[in-house]
Amino acid sequence: MTTSIPVNSSPQVLENGYQAPNNPILRLAFKILCVIAVSRESLDHWKNTGSKEWKDHVSIMVNRFENTNITAGLVLATTTLFLSSVPPIKHLMAYNSSISYIFAMVSFGAALLSVISGSAVLVIYETSTAHKDMDSLKRMQRHQVIALLLWLAYPSVCLSIATCFLFVSIFIACFWSDNSVVNVITILACLAFLSNGGLTLYVFSVVGEK
């Protein structure tokens, strides 16, 4: 006795590759990855890649990649300055100390990766959306979707790492200063940085909440 298999069952599985997993933890991880990669909480805009919404999204993404590259270039220039110069007033900001220098090196490497990967993503993204059939996105399998999202998120992740490590490098250099005023300013700057991060997460969680 043979069992018939529906003809369109396989395409349906492939079409579900861009949808969020059913597991709550994996769903949350997928949502975070989507936010970092495509600035959205889901990939529902992949359903119709010929609509105005899709074209607007492509423009937003291109603008985002351009801004990311500019910011990464600024971070790269700043870390290059720290790595290649001597502090003019060492007792105020000794960024040539070993620990501060190591963080600056990591920031330099991450910023360089962000610039390189961001440029590649921008060129390939613009070329693909302009000359290739984007309807194929919703037919991609799960691992292909994840790989694409990781590739799109790579420049932003590298930029975030570069920025955080640069901040830590400057914080260490200033906190170890012999000047108490510089120490107080450094602590206040650190509190401002942490509070801004907390506010960012809070605003992101409440804006648009149903």
Side-chain angles (χ1 to χ4, degrees):
M1 179 177 180
T2 59
T3 304
S4 60
I5 300 175
V7 177
N8 57 354
S9 61
S10 180
Q12 182 64 33
V13 174
L14 293 177
E15 287 182 359
N16 292 337
Y18 69 93
Q19 297 176 350
N22 295 325
N23 184 282
I25 298 177
L26 295 179
R27 178 180 290 271
L28 177 61
F30 187 82
K31 178 180 178 180
I32 295 174
L33 182 58
C34 287
V35 171
I36 299 174
V38 297
S39 302
R40 295 203 177 193
E41 296 183 357
S42 68
L43 301 178
D44 291 339
H45 59 288
W46 283 13
K47 293 179 180 178
N48 186 4
T49 56
S51 63
K52 184 179 182 297
E53 180 185 4
W54 168 259
K55 295 179 180 178
D56 292 340
H57 174 72
V58 170
S59 300
I60 293 173
M61 290 297 297
V62 169
N63 184 63
R64 171 188 159 179
F65 290 139
E66 290 175 346
N67 292 334
T68 299
N69 288 344
I70 293 173
T71 307
L74 294 174
V75 175
L76 183 64
T78 304
T79 54
T80 301
L81 177 63
F82 284 163
L83 293 175
S84 60
S85 63
V86 178
I89 307 177
K90 293 184 178 181
H91 70 278
L92 290 181
M93 185 178 178
Y95 56 79
N96 61 341
S97 62
S98 298
I99 185 65
S100 180
Y101 200 84
I102 290 174
F103 276 96
M105 289 178 62
V106 175
S107 176
F108 174 84
L112 185 60
L113 284 175
S114 180
V115 171
I116 296 174
S117 60
S119 300
V121 168
L122 180 60
V123 172
I124 298 175
Y125 186 85
E126 284 189 301
T127 304
S128 299
T129 53
H131 303 289
K132 293 187 177 182
D133 181 18
M134 291 294 100
D135 282 339
S136 60
L137 291 175
K138 58 188 177 184
R139 296 191 297 269
M140 294 172 63
Q141 299 182 31
R142 175 74 67 191
H143 70 277
Q144 295 174 326
V145 173
I146 298 299
L148 176 59
L149 292 177
L150 289 174
W151 179 70
L152 292 174
Y154 200 82
S156 299
V157 172
C158 289
L159 177 59
S160 300
I161 294 174
T163 304
C164 290
F165 272 77
L166 177 60
F167 179 84
V168 173
S169 176
I170 297 176
F171 174 80
I172 294 174
C174 294
F175 190 74
W176 286 357
S177 171
D178 297 333
N179 191 295
S180 58
V181 176
V182 175
N183 293 336
V184 172
I185 294 175
T186 303
I187 295 175
L188 293 176
C190 184
L191 292 176
F193 180 80
L194 295 176
S195 62
N196 180 68
L199 284 173
T200 301
L201 295 176
Y202 174 74
V203 170
F204 176 76
S205 64
V206 298
V207 171
E209 185 178 4
K210 297 181 181 180

